[in-house]
Amino acid sequence: MSKLQLSLVVTVYNEEENIAPLLAAVYTALEEISYELILVDDGSTDQTVAKAKEHANGNTKVLIFNKNYGQTTALAAGIDNAIGEYIVTMDGDLQNDPSDIPMMLQKAIDEDWDVVAGVRANRQDGFVLRKLPSKFANWMIRNTTKVYLKDYGCSLRVYKANIAQNMGLYGELHRFIPVLAKQEGARMTEVNVKHHPRIHGTSKYGLNRTFKVLADLILMLFFQKYLQRPIHIFGGLGLLALISGALINFYLLVLKILGEDIWGRPILLVGLILILGGLQLITTGIVAEIIVRTYFESQDKKTYTIKEVFEGE
């Protein structure tokens, strides 16, 4: 079978009322393109899977998880199973519009972009619970990672397959996909896309995601700067602490030789803590280096289990 031009990966979780209109919109939007639709059900507990099987056509594959793993893992599963030259990701809540995909794909092909990211120019979400946290998160990510995109929260993106399939998606890093793509050397651009208000179901996100973004941002910055050389951060901090502690203790030793009483001085405790902390940080760096080498040299193991694969007719 010849390689498809496009693989569309859509993740869904308890979206039973959105499945039928979603699939209809995708089939209409992509009728002029050779494509496959990979619908990843992330452990839905409603009728999402039944609706997906009912409305799936010959271009549709439904990956059904045995439990809820989260959006990042669902995306990873869809991308792993994609065979198209380009991979498109999109949410399954009908807020993204599949009719934007041909335009984005054409831009990627004509201008040879590795990633074409959507920007929700007229976002149809509440300000306090959705827009405000998103603006703050976008600002933080842009200014710390130096990957300058307007909208990190828009999941509608087109990728060259080799970029998407080498990003290494784990945990909840879907918010940082552009940063991961940049680490792969991707050339990226942005285009405005349509955005619709949610009609059916409820959003799975709220204010609490801002704190998750901040926590993941720390991890992302470590990945960006020190993933392949963790000894540089742990060893550097460890050496700084160790040298500082040694200097303090040398100073106290000189005072002791000169006949002064150094027992009970807070600076003595500081010096000892710095030395012990420095040794611990250096040791942590060495262990992290061993773990990183094991990570890169280990077998290709997945972080998810697919219970069933259903293909439409």
Side-chain angles (χ1 to χ4, degrees):
M1 184 178 70
S2 60
K3 191 163 187 175
L4 298 173
Q5 187 176 26
L6 178 72
S7 294
L8 173 58
V9 176
V10 182
T11 60
V12 292
Y13 176 62
N14 289 344
E15 299 284 2
E16 59 182 359
E17 294 179 293
N18 289 324
I19 292 297
L22 169 68
L23 296 187
V26 169
Y27 299 155
T28 300
L30 303 184
E31 58 185 357
E32 301 298 326
I33 300 172
S34 62
Y35 76 96
E36 63 173 350
L37 168 60
I38 301 177
L39 197 67
V40 185
D41 176 73
D42 188 22
S44 294
T45 56
D46 60 2
Q47 294 300 307
T48 296
V49 172
K51 293 289 185 181
K53 290 181 177 180
E54 179 183 349
H55 295 280
N57 68 5
N59 294 325
T60 303
K61 180 186 296 182
V62 184
L63 306 185
I64 305 164
F65 281 178
N66 63 323
K67 66 175 185 177
N68 178 254
Y69 288 94
Q71 186 176 359
T72 301
T73 304
L75 278 173
I79 290 171
D80 287 345
N81 284 270
I83 61 173
E85 296 178 29
Y86 287 85
I87 296 175
V88 179
T89 60
M90 189 181 76
D91 284 339
D93 56 11
L94 292 178
Q95 292 196 265
N96 295 136
D97 197 320
S99 66
D100 287 315
I101 295 174
M103 172 270 294
M104 298 174 73
L105 176 63
Q106 199 60 49
K107 186 175 183 67
I109 295 172
D110 292 345
E111 301 177 17
D112 194 30
W113 292 105
D114 297 312
V115 180
V116 177
V119 178
R120 298 165 291 183
N122 186 26
R123 186 174 176 184
Q124 302 296 310
D125 282 322
F127 181 77
V128 175
L129 294 180
R130 301 296 300 278
K131 288 184 180 179
L132 185 61
S134 182
K135 285 180 180 293
F136 175 70
N138 287 337
W139 179 84
M140 283 288 296
I141 296 170
R142 274 196 302 269
N143 287 278
T144 53
T145 66
K146 307 303 179 184
V147 178
Y148 297 102
L149 292 183
K150 296 177 183 177
D151 191 353
Y152 280 85
C154 181
S155 62
L156 181 55
R157 300 189 185 103
V158 176
Y159 308 85
K160 284 184 179 178
N162 66 304
I163 294 294
Q165 293 175 334
N166 283 286
M167 290 189 298
L169 292 175
Y170 298 94
E172 292 192 23
L173 295 182
H174 57 274
R175 304 173 185 89
F176 299 94
I177 283 179
V179 182
L180 294 171
K182 196 72 173 180
Q183 290 178 3
E184 296 297 318
R187 295 177 59 251
M188 294 184 287
T189 190
E190 295 178 290
V191 294
N192 290 340
V193 296
K194 295 182 284 292
H195 191 251
H196 304 292
R198 178 183 269 275
I199 299 174
H200 304 295
T202 58
S203 173
K204 314 304 186 295
Y205 306 105
L207 283 171
N208 65 320
R209 70 175 179 163
T210 303
F211 299 101
K212 293 181 180 179
V213 169
L214 294 176
D216 286 336
L217 181 57
I218 297 172
L219 178 63
M220 197 69 255
L221 291 173
F222 177 81
F223 281 174
Q224 192 178 39
K225 298 178 183 296
Y226 301 106
L227 177 62
Q228 297 185 45
R229 51 186 194 280
I231 190 65
H232 286 192
I233 184 170
F234 292 111
L237 292 173
L239 285 171
L240 179 62
L242 187 62
I243 292 171
S244 299
L247 289 175
I248 290 172
N249 286 347
F250 179 75
Y251 165 72
L252 292 174
L253 177 62
V254 172
L255 293 182
K256 183 67 174 177
I257 293 173
L258 294 176
E260 293 190 30
D261 183 17
I262 64 173
W263 181 251
R265 294 193 181 191
I267 195 173
L268 175 62
L269 183 60
V270 171
L272 291 174
I273 290 175
L274 285 172
I275 288 177
L276 292 175
L279 291 172
Q280 189 171 20
L281 282 169
I282 292 171
T283 305
T284 300
I286 295 171
V287 172
E289 284 284 334
I290 295 171
I291 293 173
V292 165
R293 281 159 173 72
T294 303
Y295 167 76
F296 281 110
E297 296 172 7
S298 62
Q299 297 179 357
D300 182 22
K301 295 183 179 181
K302 306 302 180 188
T303 58
Y304 57 85
T305 302
I306 295 175
K307 180 176 67 176
E308 178 185 354
V309 175
F310 174 83
E311 297 188 13
E313 298 180 357

